[in-house]
Amino acid sequence: MRERMKAAVIGGTGYGAVELIRLIKIHPHLNIGTVVSNSQAGNSFSEAYPHLTGILEQPLEKFDPKTLAEQNDIVFLATPSGVSSKLVPELIEEGIRCIDLSGDFRLKTEEQYESWYKHPSADRAYLNQAIYGLSEIYAEKIRDARLIANPGCYPTATTLGLIPIIKTNLVDFESIIIDAKSGVSGAGRGLSLTSHYVEINENLKAYKLGKHQHIPEIEQVLEEESGHPITVSFTTHLVPMTRGIMCTMYVNLKQNVSTLEVYELYKKFYKNKPFVRVRPVGTIPATKEVWGSNYCDIGLHVDERTNRLTIISVIDNLMKGASGQAIQNANLMFGWDESTGLINIPMYP
């Protein structure tokens, strides 16, 4: 094994991939290995992203599982949904560890995936192998994994915000409402009417009402952690900013508790979890305060008038919601401190 491990990135011209490249470049135990883009093979990576001129000039390559396994120690797949399900089996059979940033291995059944994603599912054998990579919750399983299903951006913010309270007997499980807002980079680099400047600038729009593919992922995690069937009301919005997610969650409480008591519960739950910052009572996080970082910041408020808990959870969708968490999972897989290469001050303003 090399002193520095080589990390390959597949899907090399997307936002998730270029964020991975940035993080691998500053990681003390990783070097950038093969970068794969079948559509732009032969071109320099800096042609797709000119800000990397003089930093990363290596050519993009075509997918070749045998060569990837011979030249790299881990593969990150930052591909659209429906692609990695075809590539991962070939890589796993070559003996290389994989972290998949698409949704192809997150859901437990083929039927559920095909219903929500509208693509053929990955093979059952590989769904069974995949470990869900919510780093703060499943660290022990991640350490021994060969295949990680990196969580979606909305599910990361949502489940980290909800899990501490749904593991108690305080919650009315039928009352969970999630109001989620994301910057436009979550839609990817491809051109579409949804992310067109004129359509999104000075505008706020809801989308995929009742149809968002992250709904079953959120419910799957919450059910596993609570031991109860859970159905959530989940509404997503695009806001005119580049990065960031804010999830505002509402939960009816079955007992009278104070904001301070809930705060203490969350502080205890996330003790020794370096990337979850529970804000003091009366302090509400904003997306700008985690920009460019791997932090998830959580604010809490119990409305004594309605006996309803409001949870505000913010992340950078390209970091904790994608590439940052993927690096955190790689750290766990290889036995490094999970914060390695990720402790940086959020960019502000």
Side-chain angles (χ1 to χ4, degrees):
M1 198 67 82
R2 306 173 187 87
E3 184 177 345
R4 276 184 176 234
M5 295 185 181
K6 281 201 170 183
V9 178
I10 299 178
T13 56
Y15 291 141
V18 75
E19 193 75 335
L20 278 167
I21 294 294
R22 182 175 73 87
L23 296 174
I24 293 167
K25 186 72 175 175
I26 62 174
H27 197 285
H29 305 313
L30 294 173
N31 275 333
I32 298 166
T34 309
V35 183
V36 173
S37 174
N38 283 339
S39 64
Q40 297 196 42
N43 294 336
S44 168
F45 197 80
S46 62
E47 292 180 55
Y49 285 102
H51 72 288
L52 294 174
T53 299
I55 299 171
L56 191 67
E57 301 286 359
Q58 71 186 66
L60 297 164
E61 301 183 27
K62 286 189 175 294
F63 177 75
D64 181 335
K66 187 173 181 61
T67 302
L68 279 167
E70 289 174 349
Q71 297 180 356
N72 302 276
D73 302 291
I74 187 170
V75 176
F76 295 93
L77 295 100
T79 59
S81 59
V83 175
S84 62
S85 60
K86 301 179 180 68
L87 306 184
V88 163
E90 296 183 66
L91 294 166
I92 293 293
E93 294 310 310
E94 291 291 340
I96 192 164
R97 295 185 182 190
C98 297
I99 297 180
D100 177 43
L101 279 72
S102 80
D104 283 6
F105 297 91
R106 295 175 192 156
L107 301 181
K108 292 181 178 178
T109 70
E110 300 100 312
E111 295 78 15
Q112 201 175 34
Y113 176 86
E114 291 171 1
S115 174
W116 288 89
Y117 280 83
K118 312 303 181 187
H119 296 297
S121 171
D123 187 89
R124 159 59 54 186
Y126 296 98
L127 293 180
N128 290 342
Q129 286 187 48
I131 298 299
Y132 189 69
L134 190 61
S135 308
E136 281 72 21
I137 307 301
Y138 303 115
E140 292 309 311
K141 292 181 179 180
I142 291 166
R143 293 183 207 279
D144 298 323
R146 305 292 303 177
L147 169 60
I148 296 293
N150 215 59
C153 50
Y154 285 126
T156 295
T158 299
T159 57
L160 288 177
L162 284 167
I163 284 173
I165 198 69
I166 59 102
K167 291 178 78 71
T168 73
N169 61 357
L170 297 172
V171 175
D172 174 1
F173 292 109
E174 296 181 359
S175 70
I176 300 173
I177 297 172
I178 304 164
D179 182 299
K181 298 176 177 66
S182 176
V184 187
S185 60
R189 202 182 190 197
L191 299 177
S192 71
L193 186 62
T194 302
S195 56
H196 192 291
Y197 176 81
V198 175
E199 296 288 330
I200 195 64
N201 182 49
E202 297 184 16
N203 197 10
L204 176 63
K205 57 170 70 176
Y207 67 103
K208 289 188 178 180
L209 270 68
K211 298 179 181 178
H212 200 287
Q213 68 272 18
H214 288 170
I215 292 172
E217 183 180 342
I218 292 167
E219 293 176 346
Q220 177 177 279
V221 175
L222 295 181
E223 288 181 3
E224 182 172 332
E225 291 305 303
S226 70
H228 294 270
I230 290 180
T231 302
V232 301
S233 294
F234 179 67
T235 303
T236 52
H237 307 77
L238 275 180
V239 296
M241 62 185 186
T242 300
R243 291 173 178 250
I245 280 178
M246 174 179 283
C247 289
T248 304
M249 294 160 278
Y250 306 95
V251 180
N252 289 345
L253 300 172
K254 296 191 294 185
Q255 301 175 31
N256 292 324
V257 294
S258 68
T259 302
L260 180 59
E261 288 174 304
V262 176
Y263 166 78
E264 294 295 343
L265 183 154
Y266 273 67
K267 284 290 288 184
K268 182 178 180 181
F269 189 90
Y270 286 120
K271 183 180 179 182
N272 300 323
K273 302 297 182 184
F275 294 116
V276 179
R277 304 189 298 187
V278 184
R279 293 296 188 85
V281 174
T283 306
I284 304 302
T287 57
K288 195 74 172 178
E289 294 159 1
V290 296
W291 204 81
S293 80
N294 199 50
Y295 292 111
C296 173
D297 283 11
I298 297 172
L300 304 157
H301 175 71
V302 175
D303 187 337
E304 295 177 1
R305 190 174 57 86
T306 60
N307 205 34
R308 184 177 295 122
L309 169 64
T310 300
I311 306 158
I312 308 289
S313 177
V314 299
I315 63 171
D316 183 321
N317 56 295
L318 294 177
M319 283 290 294
K320 187 60 173 168
S323 302
Q325 186 158 223
I327 295 294
Q328 187 178 356
N329 284 327
N331 288 338
L332 291 167
M333 290 173 83
F334 289 114
W336 305 319
D337 186 285
E338 66 182 293
S339 63
T340 302
L342 290 170
I343 294 295
N344 59 299
I345 297 172
M347 291 180 272
Y348 198 95

